[in-house]
Amino acid sequence: MNTNKKRQLRDRDKKLIGVFAVVFLLLFFGVLSYVIGKPMIAFVSEPEKFRLWVEKGGIWSRVLFILMVFFQVVLALIPGEPLEIGAGYAFGAVEGTILTVVGTVLGSITVFILVKRWGIRLCEVFFPREKLMKLKFLKSKKSREILSFIIFFLPGTPKDLVTYFLGLTDISFTYVLFLSGIARLPSIITSTLGGDALGGKKYAVALVVFAITAVISSAGVYVYNKITLKRKTKKENLDVRNQRSR
C-alpha cells in the first residue's frame, strides 16, 4: 500500500473517531442534562428546601453547589439564573457569589479545553451553526478582547454560547480566566443580591434588584444584537466590495 493510500486511511479513521466521539459526547451530555440538570434546577427552585439542605450539608453542600454551577456552564442547556438566585438565598450574597464564580471558572476552563480538542463539532452539540457564525467577529484580534469583555460584563447576553465560541479562536487561556472570573461578576452579583434579599424576606429590595437587573439585561441583549448586526452588515458590505473588485 502506497503512502497516499495510508494517509487517506488514517484521515478517514480520524474522521470516524471524531464523529463517534461527538455522538458519544452528545448522548453523554444529553443524559447528564436529563438526570442532573432538571432535578438540580427543580431543587434550587424550592428555596426553603435548598437552604435546609445547605445548613445540613456543611462544607459538602458548598462542594456540591460548585459542581452544580460547573455542570450548568459545561452543559450549556441549563439556565444559570436559578442557581445564582438560589446561591444568594441559601448562602448569602457574598458566599453565594464566591461559590458561583468558582463553579463558573472551572466550567469555563473545561469548556475551553474540550473545544480546543474537539472543535466546532462539539460546539454544535449545544448550539446551531448559525448562532456560532454570528460570533465570527470575535476571531478578529483587533476587537475580540474588548467585545468579549462587554458581552460577559453585561447581564442578559449569551455567555455560555460565547464561552464555547472562544475555544474556536486563538484567544489566550489567561483572558478566558479573566472573562469567566471577573467580567461575569456584575451579572452574578445582581442575581445573588436578589436571592439574598429574598432569603432575608426583604421583598421590596428583591423587587428593586430584579427590576434593575431586568432593565440592564434588556440593555445587554440590545447591545449584543447591535454588535452582531453591525459586524454582520460590515462583513456583507466587505464581501460585496470584494466581489465587485474581481
Side-chain angles (χ1 to χ4, degrees), residues 4 18 25 35 40 44 51-52 69 99 140 188 216 234 238:
N4 287 336
L25 287 171
V35 174
M40 184 173 77
V44 175
R51 177 181 275 180
L52 183 62
V69 178
L99 294 174
S140 168
I188 293 174
I216 298 174
K234 184 177 179 180
L238 183 62

Side-chain angles (χ1 to χ4, degrees), residues 19-178:
V19 169
F20 283 124
V22 171
V23 170
F24 171 78
L25 287 171
L26 177 61
L27 292 173
F28 176 71
F29 286 132
V31 170
L32 277 181
S33 295
Y34 183 78
V35 174
I36 296 177
K38 286 182 66 177
M40 184 173 77
I41 295 302
F43 181 49
V44 175
S45 299
E46 299 180 63
E48 289 300 333
K49 185 177 179 182
F50 183 55
R51 177 181 275 180
L52 183 62
W53 172 76
V54 165
E55 291 172 355
K56 287 183 176 180
I59 187 65
W60 290 110
S61 64
R62 275 76 178 167
V63 173
L64 288 173
F65 180 77
I66 289 172
L67 287 175
M68 288 182 184
V69 178
F70 170 84
F71 279 118
Q72 183 273 318
V73 175
V74 173
L75 294 176
L77 302 172
I78 306 168
E81 287 76 11
L83 283 173
E84 295 166 6
I85 294 170
Y89 189 98
F91 299 106
V94 176
E95 187 180 5
T97 297
I98 293 170
L99 294 174
T100 303
V101 168
V102 171
T104 300
V105 170
L106 292 175
S108 299
I109 291 170
T110 302
V111 167
F112 188 74
I113 293 171
L114 287 174
V115 174
K116 284 296 180 186
R117 174 63 183 85
W118 299 109
I120 195 168
R121 290 175 297 182
L122 176 63
C123 298
E124 288 180 326
V125 169
F126 303 103
F127 305 102
R129 183 176 284 259
E130 301 78 53
K131 281 191 174 182
L132 292 165
M133 291 303 100
K134 284 184 179 180
L135 296 172
K136 285 185 74 175
F137 62 85
L138 290 177
K139 286 194 171 184
S140 168
K141 289 184 179 180
K142 185 178 179 181
S143 56
R144 177 173 56 216
E145 291 191 356
I146 184 63
L147 290 176
S148 57
F149 176 84
I150 291 170
I151 291 170
F152 275 84
F153 185 80
L154 292 172
T157 53
K159 297 172 183 61
D160 292 335
L161 168 64
V162 178
T163 299
Y164 267 85
F165 184 84
L166 289 177
L168 300 173
T169 72
D170 59 354
I171 195 170
S172 70
F173 178 76
T174 305
Y175 199 71
V176 171
L177 286 179
F178 169 73

Side-chain angles (χ1 to χ4, degrees), residues 9-21:
L9 286 174
R10 282 198 299 270
D11 291 341
R12 187 187 66 183
D13 291 342
K14 286 179 181 178
K15 287 179 181 178
L16 285 173
I17 291 171
V19 169
F20 283 124

